[in-house]
Amino acid sequence: MNAPAPKTPGVELIGREDELDQLRAALDEAFAGHGSLYVVEGEAGIGKTRLAAALEISAAERGARTAWGTCQEEAAPAYWPWRPILARLEVAAGVADPFALADALCASIRATTGVASAPATVLVLDDVQWADQASLRLLRLVAGQLADMPCLVTVTRRISGLEDPAPGPLLDVERERFVRRLELPGLRAADIGRLMTAVIGRSAGAGLTRAVAERTAGNPFFVIEIARVLRHDHVSDRTSTGLPASVRDVMGRRVAGLSRDGQQIIGAASVLGLNIDIPMLVDVTGRSHRDVIGALDEASRTGLLRAAGDVGTSADRLAFAHGLGREAIELAMPLEERWDLHRRAGAYLEASGAQRLSELSYHFDAAAPLGETARAHRYTVAAASLAARERAYDQEALLWRRVLRLLDLDPSLDDRGSVLLGIALALQRGGMVEEAWEGSMAAAAHARATADAKLLARAALVVRGV
């Protein structure tokens, strides 16, 4: 009996059309009697198994014989992922000699040549990074005989981190002549929009798609999980989403695999932002530069971090692989510890003399519950004024709203009227007329309550000609 491919969520395969076409071309070659082996690689959730399942469906529709085996993370007996494949191809699994087993398997595949009922064979080995040595040895022996066999073998391999070489036996497999590697990158923005539309059941706006792309780095699993939250909660395009439990679980398992020191340092890094600022991380954690680099190296090998930008893979150019991952790690930390790390980060930037107003505002605002409202207010007002000069009106409005929240925390920072007016003006300059009108009404109401005639006049002039 054939071992079926794992069931996948009821969402069509999106954004992998080119890769699927490449595998289908290899399938055409297999039908012509010329076999090959594809190693499909990528991080967890990138779509390796779904791509292999789509290939299996295409092959079955064309009459090919298909068989699927899955490697297990736990220690498994020799040839474990091959057992369902051998059963499907009616090959005795009790053969101890790997060469004899490979010959029997290849003989069964060649027996389909010219047979109308099954003119080709497609084999899938899923999660080969966990394969036992005997299974990899058998894979290599089969790969060496593919040239004249009507067979397409597809293996999926999870890669994580910046440098994750294949195990020795798999490298030996990849050296065979008819072996190809197919690495799956994150989805493009257009494909993320299509995938979200398929899950939500309505068109995803450009702003929402862009935000999801930034948080997920195009990982289909994360995109689908966020889209399901949107579908369930009926969230609008302007609303940020929470973290699905499935995403928190995935990231929690990755962090749990780190050493205790690694968990603490990566936790601190998650609070400081998406890109890793190593000097800041050393300062706020009080750890040595060597300890920090060691923790970053450990995290990079689990897939939590990636090279920032396109500049090599050096440890001074690291970032979290996904915005979602960073958020999940940060939210798992105790609240007061997060506040204190933000306060330390703000103090570090302040002491360094760096004019990074947006970051200073962000960190001191997050530390406001620890009594940092005055510094948060000062830097946020300055950042809002800078955003206005740079015509970044969405950012300006966001910053003025941050100031408004600070006023609620600390009544001594009493400039509510000017802040409400700043919000309205930023919205008006950004072309958001309806929101600007509502903002001007809020400023006018405050002006009446405080008998501030000048503010009332200015509020009345925010939206003109409507």
Side-chain angles (χ1 to χ4, degrees):
M1 182 176 179
N2 186 22
K7 293 183 182 295
T8 53
V11 180
E12 62 179 307
L13 187 68
I14 291 175
R16 301 297 181 209
E17 292 82 2
D18 291 344
E19 291 87 350
L20 184 56
D21 285 345
Q22 189 172 342
L23 291 175
R24 283 171 173 163
L27 180 60
D28 291 338
E29 291 294 313
F31 273 101
H34 308 297
S36 58
L37 185 152
Y38 273 78
V39 181
V40 180
E41 298 180 326
E43 66 174 346
I46 204 69
K48 303 178 297 295
T49 300
R50 288 176 62 83
L51 179 62
L55 170 66
E56 186 190 46
I57 291 171
S58 292
E61 289 174 346
R62 294 180 59 181
R65 180 173 54 171
T66 65
W68 187 293
T70 301
C71 305
Q72 301 297 323
E73 186 171 7
E74 301 83 7
Y79 303 118
W80 179 261
W82 283 103
R83 294 186 181 188
I85 294 174
L86 296 172
R88 166 65 171 158
L89 272 58
E90 299 178 350
V91 175
V95 180
D97 181 1
F99 292 92
L101 187 57
D103 284 343
L105 179 58
C106 292
S108 174
I109 293 171
R110 287 192 178 95
T112 64
T113 304
V115 179
S117 60
T121 300
V122 172
L123 308 180
V124 178
L125 280 178
D126 200 19
D127 283 328
V128 76
Q129 74 276 359
W130 294 322
D132 59 276
Q133 297 296 305
S135 292
L136 291 174
R137 188 179 302 113
L138 178 57
L139 180 63
R140 180 188 177 188
L141 293 172
V142 172
Q145 301 185 52
L146 282 172
D148 62 347
M149 288 201 302
C151 180
L152 172 58
V153 181
T154 302
V155 303
T156 70
R157 185 175 86 93
R158 178 185 301 180
I159 58 176
S160 58
L162 304 178
E163 296 180 4
D164 188 23
L170 186 54
L171 282 176
D172 291 339
V173 171
E174 293 180 351
R175 291 191 183 103
E176 296 295 337
R177 181 180 175 188
F178 294 98
V179 175
R180 305 285 183 269
R181 296 178 68 181
L182 186 59
E183 187 169 349
L184 301 185
L187 297 179
R188 296 167 296 187
D191 294 325
I192 291 172
R194 291 170 55 208
L195 182 56
M196 292 181 63
T197 297
V199 176
I200 299 173
R202 60 179 173 81
S203 177
L208 178 61
T209 299
R210 183 167 54 253
V212 171
E214 290 173 355
R215 295 178 76 191
T216 64
N219 183 296
F221 171 76
F222 291 151
V223 173
I224 289 172
E225 293 305 302
I226 283 192
R228 284 177 173 158
V229 171
L230 291 169
R231 179 182 64 188
H232 177 74
D233 293 341
H234 305 290
V235 184
S236 72
D237 286 3
R238 290 185 179 272
T239 306
S240 61
T241 65
L243 284 177
S246 55
V247 174
R248 292 197 301 269
D249 291 343
V250 167
M251 302 314 301
R253 287 195 297 271
R254 293 192 189 182
V255 173
L258 301 177
S259 65
R260 181 176 179 82
D261 284 348
Q263 292 181 31
Q264 292 176 345
I265 291 172
I266 292 305
S270 73
V271 174
L272 303 184
L274 190 64
N275 294 304
I276 307 294
D277 184 329
I278 292 178
M280 181 190 292
L281 188 56
V282 169
D283 184 86
V284 301
T285 59
R287 303 298 188 96
S288 70
H289 186 272
R290 181 172 184 159
D291 287 345
V292 167
I293 293 297
L296 297 180
D297 180 67
E298 183 185 6
S300 73
R301 296 182 187 281
T302 68
L304 289 170
L305 305 180
R306 61 170 174 79
D310 299 323
V311 185
T313 60
S314 60
D316 61 343
R317 295 287 299 167
L318 290 175
F320 282 90
H322 311 94
L324 283 180
R326 187 204 65 76
E327 293 173 47
I329 297 169
E330 180 184 7
L331 291 175
M333 297 184 67
L335 193 57
E336 191 165 351
E337 185 177 346
R338 296 207 315 260
W339 293 342
D340 186 55
L341 284 165
H342 279 295
R343 176 167 61 183
R344 293 185 184 193
Y348 169 84
L349 290 172
E350 196 175 53
S352 70
Q355 294 300 306
R356 291 150 66 173
L357 295 175
S358 180
E359 292 178 64
L360 283 160
S361 164
Y362 167 69
H363 288 301
F364 281 124
D365 175 64
L370 297 181
E372 294 294 347
T373 51
R375 285 201 284 188
H377 178 273
R378 180 168 73 253
Y379 288 119
T380 306
V381 169
S385 299
L386 177 62
R389 292 195 298 273
E390 294 178 345
R391 300 185 180 183
Y393 300 126
D394 285 352
Q395 178 71 3
E396 182 194 0
L398 182 151
L399 289 164
W400 283 124
R401 288 188 175 112
R402 182 179 291 173
V403 175
L404 197 61
R405 292 196 303 272
L406 289 168
L407 300 185
D408 293 334
L409 283 174
D410 187 350
S412 68
L413 305 171
D414 190 15
D415 56 351
R416 185 174 296 272
S418 62
V419 173
L420 289 170
L421 185 65
I423 293 172
L425 287 169
L427 293 169
Q428 187 270 331
R429 287 191 289 259
M432 292 171 277
V433 177
E434 184 176 347
E435 293 92 334
W437 176 263
E438 293 172 356
S440 67
M441 292 300 99
H446 180 79
R448 293 189 187 95
T450 57
D452 189 336
K454 184 176 180 180
L455 174 63
L456 182 61
R458 294 183 67 189
L461 295 173
V462 169
V463 181
R464 298 179 289 261
V466 179

